Structures are given as structure tokens and as C-alpha cells.
Amino acid sequence: MGGFEWRHGVPDPSRAVVIISAATSVRCTYYARFADYLFNHGLDVMLYDYRGIGVSRSGSLRGFKASWSDWGVLDAHAILMRAQRECPGQPIDMVGHSFGGCTVGLAAGASRVRRLVTVGAQFAYWRDYAAAQRWPMFARWHVVMPLLTRLCGYFPGKRLGWLEDTPAGVVNDWAAMNTRFERLPSARTLHSLPFASVTANTLAISLSDDPFGTVAATERLLRYFSASERTHLRINPADIGETAIGHFAFFHSRYQQSLWPIALGWLLDGALAHDTAGTFINRPL
């Protein structure tokens, strides 16, 4: 498994190390500017690519064995153990984008995470997609994607300009159309899911124009983190003077002054500023 690090030098128990878990089939370098921002505000940061993606890919994906469960149980756990080993005594926090928000709940080391920020996090249950885009999204992700995967032995996402090339096992999980994570093809073989061992103070950010990260989808995943204090903040682009943000743009550097401080404040203090943009869907009393 490969990745990149932003480190301040010797471990310091007052400085957290933040692990960023990417969306499905997105290279970890997509989050490099956000990692720079966190580093420049005093945090250590680790990015990593899931097996079969980016710097963690070697050779053809035809016949390559990897699933969503592997990305969490094996890869997210490995990076958590590396953070613990290389940054002894430092708190470990995580940021998860889209499926990346699920990874902490699959890793056996999940109980070590102190604070968690998720953005558009869900596991692609199709009925949770935004109503206006639901059927086109269903056709793309639950019909075309698995059909092409069956033909090619993997999903050739780069050729289509959709995603990175994606292992067949990941596609099978995404396209499975189950309401429960534990019913996804790869999850059925797991003895247990560590979600309930996560005690991280959790901030789930959803964007009102994100067709994946609807309120229903975000809350569906949040319910798995039953031992965590969970805050769900929903942001409308108009709240920050924008017309669109969508599923991916939160991590674009143009939001360094408007959206990124929300995540930074949570990672530094475990709290939100009183004037934070957005509306609370769910918040601890």
C-alpha cells in the first residue's frame, strides 16, 4: 500500500496525525492541497491509496482481488497501525470522503480514532440518491458499471473519464443495492463490523446539491456509529455564497476560506464555531 505524508518532525503528543480516506477509486493525491492546509495549521497528515488504486496499483486489475471490505479491513487498518507506530503518543483523527467515511468503521483499529470528519459519506444505496438524478445514477452505477466490469474483468473508469480503473470486487459492492452494509457481497464474509467500537467525536458534513450524500444516505451510515457522538451539518451552497459544490468540490482549494475551516476546527477542537454555515440535521444535546 502506498501513500504520502506531511510530517512536522519528532512526535508531539499535543499534535494530532490526520488520516484522509479517499472516495471510491479516487487517487489520494486529489486531497493533497487539503493535506497541505491541515499541515500548515499544525497537524501531521497521511494520505494513502487503496489497493488497486494510484500508487497502490501494480499491473492489470483483471482478476485482481479487492473489495470495499478489503479497503477498510486491510488498508484503513494498516494506515491506522502505521500512524500509531510512527507517531507514538499522538492522537489519531480521520477525514473520510464518500466511501472513505465507511473505512474507519471497518478497521479493527477504529477505536484508536479520536475525531472523525466525513464529507458526503455513504455506501451508495440507490434509493438514497437525490430524487432528480436517481434514475440516471442508477443506470450509470448499477447497470452500466457492473456490465462493463463483467466484460472487462474490472471497471475501465479512466477510459470513460468517470473514475480510476476499479477492481471488480469493489464494483460488486457498490452495485449491490443493499440497505445494510453488512449485506454487501464482501461484507457477508466478515465475522463482525467494528463500527460500534468507534467512539470518535464525529462530524458528518453533507452538501445539499450532492446527489450521493443526501440526508437519508448520510444518516443511514451515521446510524452505524452508535457509540460516537454524531453531529450532522448540512450545507447549502448559498450558505457560503456559492451556486454549486456537489460531491467532490469540498476539497477544492477555492473553499480554503469557507469550508475547510469547518473541518479544521473540528479536528483541532472537536467543536464548531457559533457562526458555522449550514443547518444541523442531527446534533448531540
Side-chain angles (χ1 to χ4, degrees), residues 120-159:
Q122 34 64 50
F123 52 89
Y125 174 53
W126 72 277
R127 289 185 185 274
D128 289 341
Y129 296 157
Q133 293 107 311
R134 184 174 299 147
W135 291 111
M137 291 173 69
F138 180 88
R140 172 181 280 209
W141 303 119
H142 300 274
V143 178
V144 175
M145 183 172 66
L147 281 175
L148 286 176
T149 300
R150 186 171 296 180
L151 287 171
C152 300
Y154 68 99
F155 179 61
K158 289 187 74 172
R159 271 182 271 171

Side-chain angles (χ1 to χ4, degrees), residues 73-272:
V73 173
L74 302 176
D75 299 343
H77 177 70
I79 197 70
L80 278 166
M81 294 303 96
R82 179 170 182 171
Q84 186 176 32
R85 182 174 64 251
E86 295 188 1
C87 307
Q90 293 182 229
I92 300 174
D93 298 336
M94 290 190 75
V95 173
H97 179 211
S98 195
F99 169 75
C102 301
T103 59
V104 63
L106 296 171
S111 60
R112 296 171 173 84
V113 178
R114 179 189 63 164
R115 292 173 186 153
L116 172 65
V117 176
T118 68
V119 178
Q122 34 64 50
F123 52 89
Y125 174 53
W126 72 277
R127 289 185 185 274
D128 289 341
Y129 296 157
Q133 293 107 311
R134 184 174 299 147
W135 291 111
M137 291 173 69
F138 180 88
R140 172 181 280 209
W141 303 119
H142 300 274
V143 178
V144 175
M145 183 172 66
L147 281 175
L148 286 176
T149 300
R150 186 171 296 180
L151 287 171
C152 300
Y154 68 99
F155 179 61
K158 289 187 74 172
R159 271 182 271 171
L160 297 172
W162 291 7
L163 300 167
E164 291 293 304
D165 294 343
T166 305
V170 171
V171 172
N172 292 340
D173 284 333
W174 184 339
M177 298 187 291
N178 283 297
T179 60
R180 302 285 300 173
F181 193 96
E182 60 269 26
R183 295 175 187 162
L184 299 181
S186 68
R188 292 172 195 158
T189 63
L190 302 177
H191 296 298
S192 63
L193 297 177
F195 283 98
S197 69
V198 179
T199 58
N201 190 13
T202 298
L203 171 65
I205 298 171
S206 66
L207 292 310
S208 66
D209 64 333
D210 175 359
F212 288 100
T214 60
V215 170
T218 303
E219 290 292 314
R220 186 179 300 277
L221 176 60
L222 275 181
R223 285 193 287 271
Y224 279 89
F225 294 96
S226 57
S228 299
E229 283 202 345
R230 294 155 285 176
T231 297
H232 179 180
L233 177 69
R234 189 152 181 86
I235 300 173
N236 188 303
D239 294 337
I240 59 168
E242 297 285 342
T243 58
I245 301 171
H247 190 58
F248 286 99
F250 182 97
F251 296 97
H252 290 186
S253 56
R254 68 177 177 269
Y255 296 119
Q256 181 170 332
Q257 301 301 321
S258 54
L259 294 178
W260 290 6
I262 299 172
L264 176 66
W266 193 268
L267 295 169
L268 291 176
D269 304 317
L272 295 172

